[in-house]
């Protein structure tokens, strides 16, 4: 335990922190990707006006002791039935209504580029201290500034919960973001559960984040494979801590959230103007 505390106190903050239903495109086959390698994004519009994400070199990774990490995970817990109930309250029509009031709509790549130039859409970034992007076949990695600010808040609070347990700072995997009308129509052809009306994803306010797979901490380096296996082994604990983070932010009226069963994701929509806060 002492080794674990020293590792978390001295190493985690600088090393790992370097830093309706079924309406989703999640594909579990994509988990073969390496979490530390950013996937290519299909149909991502070029946008030279979007400021580049700063590249911060990873510091040397601290040694991982699997037994100590397992002890830390043992202090966490999976979601309880009442918590799952809280995560099922915001149905599709609720999220779509909020998305329409706070978001923007793009029908083609040219409109996405224009909205980026206007600052009404921003890039999520392939890999950050809080999340990585999964391969997106039916959406593009752009959201409103408010939605990105929300995702940062989710990541920070999720990491604070992990810190309190002594668990390494695993990152979220974002599986879906902005869809155009055409990409939503394509999704309906292969996913009978995809929304047959408007989807909250069409307004840049909504994201899907996996609740069964998590990316290794930023800066994991040579420890990545070990941490990857430990994360898979304790995915229910990570799911629980991320779920409690979302419940907390829902209670503060910052988001709507739905935990999905047919697709293993948390589907959530920003509920307030958060950019610049």
């Amino acid at each position: 335990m002492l080794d674990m505390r020293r590792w978390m106190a001295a190493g985690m903050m600088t090393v790992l922190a370097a830093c309706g239903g079924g309406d989703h495109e999640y594909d579990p086959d994509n988990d073969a990707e390496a979490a530390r390698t950013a996937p290519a994004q299909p149909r991502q519009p070029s946008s030279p006006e979007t400021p580049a994400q700063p590249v911060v070199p990873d510091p040397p990774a601290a040694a991982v002791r699997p037994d100590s990490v397992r002890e830390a995970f043992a202090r966490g817990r999976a979601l309880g039935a009442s918590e799952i109930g809280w995560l099922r309250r915001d149905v599709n029509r609720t999220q779509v209504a909020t998305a329409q009031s706070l978001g923007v709509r793009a029908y083609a790549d040219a409109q996405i580029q224009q909205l980026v130039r206007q600052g009404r859409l921003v890039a999520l970034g392939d890999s950050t201290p809080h999340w990585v992007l999964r391969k997106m076949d039916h959406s593009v990695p752009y959201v409103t500034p408010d939605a990105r600010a929300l995702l940062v808040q989710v990541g920070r609070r999720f990491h604070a919960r992990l810190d309190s347990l002594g668990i390494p700072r695993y990152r979220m995997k974002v599986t879906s973001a902005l869809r155009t009308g055409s990409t939503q129509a394509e999704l309906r052809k292969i996913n009978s559960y995809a929304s047959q009306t408007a989807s909250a994803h069409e307004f840049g306010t909504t994201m899907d984040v996996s609740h069964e797979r998590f990316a290794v901490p930023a800066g994991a380096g040579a420890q990545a494979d070990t941490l990857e296996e430990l994360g898979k082994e304790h995915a229910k604990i990570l799911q629980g801590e991320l779920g409690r983070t979302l419940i907390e932010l829902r209670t503060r009226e910052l988001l709507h959230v739905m935990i999905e069963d047919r697709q293993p994701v948390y589907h959530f929509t920003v509920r307030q103007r958060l950019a610049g806060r």
Side-chain angles (χ1 to χ4, degrees):
M1 288 298 297
L2 182 58
D3 287 343
M4 181 61 192
R5 290 173 183 164
R6 287 175 177 167
W7 174 59
M8 290 303 304
M12 285 301 300
M13 294 302 294
T14 57
V15 174
L16 301 178
C19 44
D23 184 24
H24 312 290
E25 60 185 84
Y26 180 89
D27 180 359
D29 291 339
N30 288 336
D31 275 321
E33 72 188 58
R36 56 184 178 272
T37 303
Q41 300 300 326
R43 294 192 305 279
Q44 179 173 335
S46 59
S47 179
E49 294 84 357
T50 302
Q53 298 292 322
V55 177
V56 179
D58 292 335
V64 173
R65 296 185 59 193
D67 290 344
S68 296
V69 177
R70 288 190 178 96
E71 287 177 8
F73 272 117
R75 292 191 285 272
R77 56 191 173 87
L79 288 172
S82 63
E83 292 171 318
I84 292 174
W86 277 104
L87 291 164
R88 293 194 190 282
R89 297 193 176 193
D90 297 329
V91 296
N92 185 58
R93 65 177 176 272
T94 299
Q95 299 206 37
V96 169
T98 298
Q100 288 174 325
S101 67
L102 293 179
V104 296
R105 204 164 192 175
Y107 296 92
D109 286 352
Q111 288 175 297
I112 294 174
Q113 293 180 33
Q114 182 179 11
L115 289 167
V116 170
R117 288 193 294 270
Q118 294 170 349
R120 300 173 69 191
L121 287 175
V122 294
L124 278 172
D126 290 339
S127 179
T128 80
H130 302 110
W131 68 80
V132 300
L133 296 186
R134 288 282 304 276
K135 183 176 182 289
M136 296 181 182
D137 292 323
H138 300 285
S139 65
V140 291
Y142 288 87
V143 293
T144 65
D146 297 316
R148 194 182 193 283
L150 172 66
L151 193 60
V152 170
Q153 282 206 35
V154 172
R156 287 174 176 168
R157 290 174 180 272
F158 177 46
H159 282 174
R161 297 190 70 90
L162 297 184
D163 289 348
S164 72
L165 297 169
I167 296 172
R169 289 183 168 186
Y170 285 85
R171 295 177 289 170
M172 299 175 285
K173 288 189 174 185
V174 182
T175 67
S176 187
L178 174 68
R179 297 183 198 149
T180 63
S182 60
T183 56
Q184 180 68 17
E186 290 172 6
L187 184 59
R188 290 190 191 107
K189 294 177 183 178
I190 63 171
N191 182 355
S192 60
Y193 297 111
S195 175
Q196 298 301 309
T197 56
S199 166
H201 283 286
E202 295 178 60
F203 301 92
T205 57
T206 304
M207 296 154 287
D208 292 345
V209 171
S210 174
H211 63 58
E212 74 169 8
R213 291 288 183 266
F214 293 81
V216 298
Q223 311 299 322
D225 289 343
T226 299
L227 287 167
E228 177 80 14
E229 292 306 312
L230 289 167
K232 290 178 180 178
E233 184 181 333
H234 299 93
K236 287 293 185 183
I237 304 301
L238 295 171
Q239 178 197 65
E241 296 308 321
L242 180 55
R244 291 181 193 101
T245 300
L246 296 171
I247 291 171
E248 177 187 352
L249 292 172
R250 183 187 186 277
T251 301
R252 296 183 60 200
E253 299 186 347
L254 296 184
L255 57 77
H256 296 302
V257 60
M258 174 66 73
I259 183 173
E260 296 291 345
D261 290 326
R262 296 186 181 96
Q263 302 290 336
V265 297
Y266 289 120
H267 170 84
F268 56 90
T269 297
V270 66
R271 194 171 168 182
Q272 293 188 25
R273 298 291 185 191
L274 298 177
R277 285 194 184 182

